Amino acid sequence: MTKMSLLTVLLVLYNMPKFSYGGALAPALYVFGDSLVDSGNNNYLTTIARANYFPYGVNFAQGPAGRFTNGRTIADFFAEYLGLPYPPPCVNLKTSILTPTTGINYASGSCGILFETGKLVGNCLSLDAQIELFEAAISLKLQYLFRSKNELSKYLADSIFLFSVGSNDYIINYLVPYSQSSQNYNPQQFAQLLLNKLSENLQKMYNLGARKMIVFELGPIGCIPYFAKKAAAGKCMEETNKIVGFFNNNLGNMLKKLEAILPGVKFVHGQSYSLCYDANINPQKYGLIDSSNPCCTTWSNGTSSCIPLVTPCPAPNKLYFFDAFHPTESVYSLIASRCINDNSACSPTISQLVKL
């Protein structure tokens, strides 16, 4: 190659436009959490917490891909709004040389904020492990896809990071009879333990470059069939909801404290509890006909996961729950749409976040 042609190539490379969103509202969506947003990571782990069989995915274009519902999750609806493809599960990418720059899903069913959560049902990726995998993706792959550290930093700062985690720290940890956690901590202490650990994790994400983070509070888990069908009276086990309330009531303050000490960060506080509780108590208000029973036929008389290959109810999206733990696509759609546009559900909204 001549000096002139080499100079021409270098000039072309230098003047190439920086990272383009390609019409999307953000360069990428990264997902962290549990089965509420897992897109198939547990398919590749040794665990009984899986959803890669019919009737899961009965209304999803790819069928039973590993989502613990009949169709799309909140993460999927966010990806559609942002103009991005659904973030693929990270475990399936471990042996691949390809790393999508449009985002990755690290969520893992049955896991939680604490390392020990979920181990009763098999292997899963704790939030610590998910963040470690994200850090590895940056150092081993992502940094080589950008021309400079500044360009990588801009990409990470503009990307959206979704966290939906903590329910299992109660369902498969604290609320398990005679659990070590419940013996060591009262409800207020346990909630603070979770918040402290979550705060540490969010600071780790900040140090890795994340600046726009959506953090959801916990839903009314006392209303899920697993608990509600065991309630002596009423539609929900309100004592369980009260225990979860200690976490939710202090999440907003924790996020505000982090914003005060982390320059440039913006947290979206996903306040989904009230919306989900209202939809559970008043299903007709949201176009639902049943908020007590799961759509699929489950093990343990409606209080567990779907029995494989059994035909579910004829209209899944008219019910609140698909199995004894997880909502249907219609409920996820309701939460996502409110979070995108309604400050009472998410503050700031996703539509506001992408403009910051």
Side-chain angles (χ1 to χ4, degrees):
M1 181 179 291
T2 66
K3 289 183 178 180
M4 182 59 69
S5 58
L6 176 60
L7 178 61
T8 301
V9 170
L10 291 174
L11 286 172
V12 170
L13 290 174
Y14 181 80
N15 289 300
M16 283 177 63
K18 292 189 176 182
F19 186 87
S20 172
Y21 297 178
L25 297 177
L29 173 64
Y30 287 94
V31 182
F32 301 82
D34 53 32
S35 56
L36 294 176
V37 287
D38 187 352
S39 64
N41 282 306
N42 276 30
N43 296 352
Y44 307 92
L45 303 176
T46 306
T47 176
I48 62 173
R50 290 190 180 185
N52 57 342
Y53 60 86
F54 181 86
Y56 290 109
V58 65
N59 301 119
F60 189 61
Q62 299 173 24
R67 289 162 171 79
F68 290 76
T69 184
N70 62 305
R72 293 163 290 181
T73 68
I74 292 175
D76 297 323
F77 284 111
F78 282 171
E80 289 179 0
Y81 171 74
L82 295 171
L84 297 169
Y86 301 149
C90 71
V91 179
N92 195 30
L93 295 167
K94 286 183 69 175
T95 58
S96 173
I97 62 172
L98 300 175
T99 296
T101 57
T102 53
I104 300 173
N105 188 312
Y106 293 93
S108 179
S110 81
C111 253
I113 297 170
L114 302 180
F115 173 79
E116 62 268 25
T117 292
K119 305 308 179 186
L120 289 173
V121 298
N123 294 329
C124 62
L125 303 175
S126 67
L127 187 56
D128 276 339
Q130 293 175 35
I131 294 173
E132 288 173 5
L133 287 169
F134 174 64
E135 183 175 15
I138 293 175
S139 61
L140 298 177
K141 295 182 179 180
L142 273 178
Q143 68 170 332
Y144 300 108
L145 300 179
F146 295 86
R147 296 178 301 173
S148 67
K149 288 184 178 181
N150 287 341
E151 192 170 294
L152 173 61
S153 295
K154 179 70 165 62
Y155 159 82
L156 292 171
D158 288 343
S159 294
I160 307 296
F161 296 83
L162 169 63
F163 294 84
S164 178
V165 66
S167 295
N168 290 323
D169 293 291
Y170 287 96
I171 299 171
I172 325 179
N173 188 336
Y174 191 75
L175 295 173
V176 173
Y178 310 110
S179 72
Q180 194 69 41
S181 295
S182 62
Q183 293 180 46
N184 292 338
Y185 306 97
N186 65 35
Q188 295 94 325
Q189 292 170 334
F190 187 70
Q192 194 58 53
L193 175 70
L194 294 181
L195 289 166
N196 291 343
K197 181 61 178 175
L198 180 58
S199 176
E200 291 177 11
N201 284 319
L202 295 175
Q203 290 179 74
K204 287 180 183 177
M205 291 298 298
Y206 177 86
N207 292 334
L208 290 172
R211 293 295 182 271
K212 297 180 179 181
M213 294 183 257
I214 307 165
V215 185
F216 274 99
E217 64 186 18
L218 308 184
I221 62 176
C223 300
I224 65 176
Y226 175 77
F227 287 114
K229 286 183 174 292
K230 303 172 187 176
K235 197 166 188 177
C236 301
M237 193 174 283
E238 296 298 354
E239 183 60 31
T240 299
N241 286 338
K242 181 180 178 181
I243 291 173
V244 170
F246 292 116
F247 177 92
N248 287 344
N249 293 340
N250 291 288
L251 176 62
N253 287 334
M254 183 268 279
L255 296 177
K256 289 179 181 178
K257 288 179 180 178
L258 287 180
E259 283 192 340
I261 64 172
L262 302 177
V265 75
K266 176 53 66 175
F267 289 106
V268 171
H269 181 192
Q271 298 170 283
S272 54
Y273 180 93
S274 296
L275 176 62
C276 291
Y277 186 83
D278 190 45
N280 194 279
I281 300 301
N282 305 294
Q284 292 78 14
K285 180 178 174 182
Y286 300 90
L288 304 173
I289 60 174
D290 188 342
S291 60
S292 299
N293 301 293
C295 170
C296 74
T297 302
T298 81
W299 304 104
S300 303
N301 193 30
T303 62
S304 189
S305 56
C306 298
I307 297 176
L309 307 180
V310 177
T311 302
C313 65
N317 284 322
K318 286 295 183 179
L319 274 68
Y320 188 107
F321 293 103
F322 190 68
D323 64 11
F325 302 95
H326 306 95
T328 58
E329 180 185 77
S330 59
V331 176
Y332 287 131
S333 176
L334 171 66
I335 299 169
S337 62
R338 292 289 182 91
C339 194
I340 290 169
N341 299 302
D342 187 346
N343 280 106
S344 68
C346 279
S347 180
T349 64
I350 308 305
S351 60
Q352 292 168 335
L353 180 68
V354 296
K355 297 174 183 177
L356 297 177

